Amino acid sequence: MTVDLGNFHIRTRVIFGLGGVSALGQTAVETGAYRYLLVADPALQSLGIVDAAKKSLSEAGLQGETFLDVEPEPFLDGADGAAALGRSIEAQLVIGLGGGSAMDTAKAAAVLITNEGSAEDYIGLGKVETPGVATIMVPTTAGTGAEVTFTAVFTNRQTRAKGGINSPHLFPDVALLDPELTVSLPPDVTAATGMDALTHAVESVTSRSATVFTEALALAAVRLIGQNLRRAVYHGTDLQARENMLLGSLLGGLALADAGVGAAHALAYPLGGLYRIPHGLANAMLIPHVMEFNLPAAERSFGLIAQSMGEPVEGLSTRLAAAYAVDAVTSLCRDIGIPSDLSAIGVPRADMDTMIQSALKVTRPVENNPRHLGESEARWIYEQAFGGE
Ligand SMILES: [Fe+2]
């Protein structure tokens, strides 16, 4: 079996390299804007990264405001708050500086400036009618790939349901990637966000919507992440490892934007929505078990993943090679300190029925998964993630 040829298009201009944040002002000028809204992770303030971004913007002659009220696993009202500030200053450009939370908030704010209503009105697929203002994304984690995707994910503060605004109008105009911005990430965040990126790549390869384009991108991402994540976790200042991780995350993002993700993401959503488990950590704890579950339904894809992870698969049958992929990802998780029991991070096993019902509502990833995911299948995977029987 081969993958579909399919279509592929990239909307985002990608600028990759050291010193990128100092080029932010010039890049902003090139969008034609002169009033900006900067949406930034507040943790970046003490590192001087927010000031560096503002300096570059003001030196290029732009004026604007900074929105720092970005929570991890953001709520919908955060996007509304950012949009209100953007509307009040008539921002023509929104910059997202941070991890997925800051970038998703920025992407949503950009379309809420030009569309009426609140973020909640646009949860779903294709509900945004008018293009937003210009956007530049500057990731400071190597994980979400949000700098090139058309999705912004939020949790409803009341219902705790997690959902995405999905619209072609959310594709950022520019992704400005500077590996130096990721050097200060602590090991646990590097590990969790890096595993999010690997999960994007693995789930893009095995997705029912995969094409030759997404497969090539995703396998390159698997290789980069497989070869560099341990080094990025344990030698955080290794710029080469950081650069390769950021590139891997970008390629994974490009792949998932077209191929979509699978069961790990569907099952991770309730953990973020109900218990505030960071998205990357939730994926990291699920992906080895999802891979074990998917193995018989995606042997060819898993063989390719094993090869890209550097496993000794030459001369092996497809089935044996595929099994190496599960081992490789399981060992990687163990090596970088990903916990192996969801109860250890505060997820109550007694809530499993609620989690299952919630996960199965995440339609697109469930449908993209290579093996049918129903109630009993979701239960089996969650049980493994609670450390098995
Ligand atoms: Fe993700």
Side-chain angles (χ1 to χ4, degrees), residues 196 200 265 279 283:
D196 186 26
H200 296 154
H265 272 75
H279 175 71
N283 273 323

Side-chain angles (χ1 to χ4, degrees), residues 244-259:
N244 286 333
M245 281 304 300
L246 194 58
L247 186 57
S249 168
L250 167 72
L251 298 181
L254 288 169
L256 92 87
D258 219 53

Side-chain angles (χ1 to χ4, degrees), residues 7-182:
N7 298 305
F8 190 73
H9 108 265
I10 301 174
R11 151 83 198 274
T12 306
R13 176 187 172 201
V14 176
I15 305 171
F16 195 104
L18 291 171
V21 76
S22 59
L24 178 60
Q26 183 53 36
T27 310
V29 167
E30 287 165 16
T31 68
Y34 53 90
R35 270 192 312 276
Y36 70 82
L37 171 70
L38 173 63
V39 177
D41 183 326
L44 299 173
Q45 228 180 355
S46 58
L47 298 170
I49 295 174
V50 174
D51 284 343
K54 281 160 73 173
K55 183 167 173 266
S56 176
L57 289 160
S58 78
E59 282 176 359
L62 281 91
Q63 295 182 333
E65 293 282 343
T66 304
F67 181 85
L68 290 166
D69 197 8
V70 177
E71 295 176 271
E73 296 296 302
F75 293 108
L76 283 161
D77 47 46
D80 292 328
L85 181 58
R87 283 177 185 143
S88 74
I89 61 165
E90 295 181 25
Q92 301 145 325
L93 166 69
V94 180
I95 298 153
L97 176 67
S101 305
M103 290 192 280
D104 283 2
T105 302
K107 284 156 72 176
V111 293
L112 289 169
I113 289 173
T114 54
N115 291 270
E116 286 182 358
S118 61
E120 187 166 15
D121 304 333
Y122 298 99
I123 290 286
L125 178 62
K127 292 191 176 171
V128 179
E129 287 187 2
T130 309
V133 299
T135 49
I136 300 176
M137 295 300 129
V138 189
T140 61
T141 64
T144 67
E147 66 275 12
V148 287
T149 66
F150 74 178
T151 300
V153 182
F154 299 98
T155 300
N156 182 308
R157 200 180 286 272
Q158 281 74 44
T159 65
R160 295 289 161 146
K162 204 170 160 180
I165 303 175
N166 303 281
S167 158
H169 295 312
L170 259 68
F171 274 121
D173 292 297
V174 185
L176 188 61
L177 297 107
D178 178 353
E180 211 155 330
L181 296 176
T182 66

